[in-house]
Amino acid sequence: MTNIKRFFKDESGATAIEYGLLAALISIVALTMMTDAGTALNGIFTDVESALSGADGA
């Protein structure tokens, strides 16, 4: 009976799950931000390339 009570009071598994969910959320947010930053940088480099191509008359 004491083992059953101890099992239901043990919260170490819940803590591990919470840390796992937190890590997953941080990863998703970081990936989204990096993707958006990459898209913005790609647009900037495309604009620079177009400006440089127009500058030499090609």
Side-chain angles (χ1 to χ4, degrees), residues 5-26:
K5 288 181 183 178
R6 191 176 328 141
F7 175 74
F8 283 113
K9 288 183 181 181
D10 185 18
E11 294 183 3
S12 61
T15 302
I17 291 172
E18 289 170 357
Y19 281 127
L21 290 173
L22 187 61
L25 179 63
I26 290 170

Side-chain angles (χ1 to χ4, degrees), residues 2 10 13 15 17-19 21 24 27 31 33 37 39-43 45 47 55-56 58:
T2 58
D10 185 18
T15 302
I17 291 172
E18 289 170 357
Y19 281 127
L21 290 173
S27 298
L31 182 63
M33 290 177 65
T39 303
L41 282 174
N42 190 23
F45 285 127
D47 292 343
D56 68 357

